[in-house]
Amino acid sequence: MTHIAVIGAGITGITTAYSLASRGYKVSVFDRNRYAAMETSFANGGQLSASNAEVWTRWGTIFKGLKWMMNPDAPLLVNPRPSWHKLSWMAEFMGNIPNYESHTIATARMAIEARKHLLRFADEVGFSFDLEKRGILHVYKSEGEFAHARRVNELLSKGGLERREVTAAEVQDIEPALRTKTLGGYYTESDFTGDIHLYARALSKGCEQLGVTFNYNADVSEFRHTGQGVKISWQSGAGDQQQHFDGIVVCAGVGSRAIAASLGDRVNIYPVKGYSITVNLDDANSQAAAPWVSLLDDEAKVVTSRLGKNRFRIAGTAEFNGYNLDIRDDRIKPLRKWCETFFPEVSTEHCVPWAGLRPMLPSMMPKIGPGSKPGVFYNTGHGHLGWTLSAATAEAVADFVEVDRVKNAA
């Protein structure tokens, strides 16, 4: 049995481990945290959103970033302090603007494919994760944003997504709790939401049932390609350890860039910080006033998910500020204010703030497949759509591993 090491126990690492173990591979997962899904997969927006498949590589993103650069509560914030990594990443980002349409279409297709695998994994293991199949409603207050949404919808349709434009009255019918006026919106009935942390933790237990070994609190110090696989050295509570693996899949989020470099590959991931608040719905009035339908406000770059009766997740913003996980009040405050504007009867007295680093490649497309050396594979760089795409990319990288195994056995 081929032994594969999966680096990272976030949503991409856990789904990859499950896909490989389901096919009969021996799998060992490494993560520096004590549990699965403790970083970017801890408190994201909760959306499984093919309707949010539009990539950011267009001139409008550049112009907004420049306009908002000195505004601390802007939806998109770029720290003006230069670094070679940031500047080179942004240059490559602009170089991908001609691919905007093709990458948006491809991402929509991937997101639609991922849905069935993600739900299948949960059914096979048998767990719940605050799943709400109520669709996702994009809302608009600006004519310009609404006009852009119509253009985006043409691309999403080419990717196979069914989504319909709705009037302001229909927006209110779809989500009666909404307490602000809109021009209208787009409703994607096939999208859904859930708790990514609950999902990843439960799926990790399913992986264990399939024989997957988890090495938590593992500080990996070296990845050395031997020509016949990869030797990994790490420190943990058991002391210094090392082991040889037939193959390795790098699913380490923003840490993937450094790991790839040690294995002779260039994976130019930049960390783009996102924030969320989890509003605890402690009273009956707040529970009744919070929405059940997931929303996406394209202008404010805010997404929402209802996580059961007692929690309401609000997430958004993008911050280019390096490997920085500080939770800034000036970035959290707009999320609270958004809630108070759209749902004024929801109490925001008890909000839990969080920040995570999205692993973004300049193309806005994940890195999936083999590296330059035999036995090295990647499933990383999913950006703001990690959970949305993870189940499809996990199956895809498992296909690459299988092709490689069959080829070497021939």
Side-chain angles (χ1 to χ4, degrees):
M1 183 183 293
T2 305
H3 196 175
I4 307 293
V6 172
I7 310 302
I11 190 64
T12 55
I14 295 296
T15 51
T16 297
Y18 186 80
S19 291
L20 289 168
S22 297
R23 302 181 189 208
Y25 289 93
K26 185 177 181 181
V27 180
S28 294
V29 179
F30 291 84
D31 197 276
R32 62 189 177 188
N33 295 292
R34 186 179 181 183
Y35 309 104
M38 293 303 294
E39 295 192 20
T40 306
S41 299
F42 186 76
N44 77 344
Q47 292 187 334
L48 284 305
S49 51
S51 60
N52 197 23
E54 181 194 12
V55 298
W56 299 359
T57 46
R58 61 186 187 93
W59 286 111
T61 306
I62 304 294
F63 297 145
K64 285 179 180 178
L66 293 172
K67 181 178 71 174
W68 288 333
M69 189 170 287
M70 304 311 294
N71 182 1
D73 63 356
L76 172 62
L77 186 64
V78 180
N79 185 332
R81 181 179 299 171
S83 72
W84 173 248
H85 184 198
K86 186 193 300 181
L87 292 173
S88 65
W89 188 95
M90 289 184 172
E92 287 186 45
F93 178 90
M94 288 188 286
N96 271 283
I97 288 176
N99 301 320
Y100 162 76
E101 291 191 3
S102 62
H103 284 177
T104 295
I105 294 167
T107 302
R109 288 177 178 149
M110 205 184 318
I112 292 168
E113 174 70 13
R115 291 171 176 165
K116 62 183 182 184
H117 298 301
L118 183 135
L119 293 174
R120 173 173 62 83
F121 294 171
D123 287 342
E124 288 173 352
V125 176
F127 62 84
S128 58
F129 55 99
D130 285 335
L131 172 66
E132 292 294 339
K133 290 186 173 181
R134 300 173 188 256
I136 292 179
L137 177 63
H138 290 229
V139 296
Y140 300 94
K141 290 184 170 184
S142 157
E143 289 285 4
E145 290 290 342
F146 207 178
H148 177 68
R150 293 187 181 101
R151 294 191 291 271
V152 172
N153 198 56
E154 295 176 5
L155 301 179
L156 298 180
S157 295
K158 291 179 181 178
L161 184 67
E162 292 184 14
R163 156 176 120 131
R164 62 184 173 92
E165 184 173 341
V166 293
T167 65
E170 288 173 314
V171 165
Q172 201 64 48
D173 289 340
I174 294 168
E175 183 42 77
L178 198 62
R179 290 291 180 269
T180 190
K181 292 182 179 179
T182 66
L183 296 174
Y186 272 94
Y187 182 53
T188 311
E189 193 171 357
S190 55
D191 278 344
F192 50 95
T193 60
D195 187 322
I196 186 175
H197 185 68
L198 288 180
Y199 185 96
R201 292 280 286 134
L203 190 60
S204 73
K205 299 300 181 185
C207 288
E208 290 176 357
Q209 293 168 10
L210 292 174
V212 174
T213 300
F214 283 87
N215 298 280
Y216 292 120
N217 288 324
D219 182 12
V220 180
S221 57
E222 184 182 17
F223 300 88
R224 185 166 63 85
H225 199 275
T226 64
Q228 301 297 320
V230 177
K231 181 178 282 187
I232 298 177
S233 302
W234 73 97
Q235 295 86 39
S236 67
D240 293 346
Q241 300 178 69
Q242 60 178 223
Q243 188 172 352
H244 186 270
F245 296 90
D246 303 304
I248 182 175
V249 184
V250 179
C251 308
V254 297
S256 300
R257 177 172 175 258
I259 296 170
S262 72
L263 293 169
D265 293 312
R266 183 175 183 271
V267 180
N268 192 18
I269 284 174
Y270 191 86
V272 179
K273 191 194 296 186
Y275 292 85
S276 77
I277 57 173
T278 303
V279 183
N280 291 318
L281 306 173
D282 296 328
D283 58 273
N285 287 339
S286 292
Q287 292 167 9
W292 282 97
V293 173
S294 178
L295 302 177
L296 199 154
D297 180 348
D298 272 326
E299 187 171 8
K301 305 304 179 192
V302 166
V303 306
T304 76
S305 296
R306 185 70 177 266
L307 303 176
K309 178 182 177 182
N310 300 319
R311 294 184 300 151
F312 179 38
R313 178 73 49 77
I314 304 171
T317 76
E319 183 179 310
F320 289 76
N321 196 20
Y323 295 85
N324 181 309
L325 276 168
D326 293 345
I327 298 176
R328 296 171 44 179
D329 184 64
D330 58 353
R331 306 295 283 155
I332 292 294
K333 187 177 179 180
L335 299 178
R336 291 198 306 267
K337 288 183 67 176
W338 187 93
C339 181
E340 291 160 4
T341 299
F342 280 69
F343 304 99
E345 295 174 24
V346 171
S347 171
T348 54
E349 181 180 2
H350 298 133
C351 294
V352 181
W354 173 84
L357 300 178
R358 308 178 185 102
M360 268 187 192
L361 285 159
S363 65
M364 298 290 296
M365 300 293 287
K367 169 71 173 174
I368 314 161
S372 59
K373 292 183 170 62
V376 176
F377 302 88
Y378 295 92
N379 184 18
T380 190
H382 295 65
H384 67 300
L385 293 175
W387 195 17
T388 294
L389 302 179
S390 59
T393 61
E395 288 288 281
V397 80
D399 287 342
F400 279 112
V401 172
E402 182 71 6
V403 167
D404 188 68
R405 184 193 66 80
V406 171
K407 181 179 67 175
N408 290 334

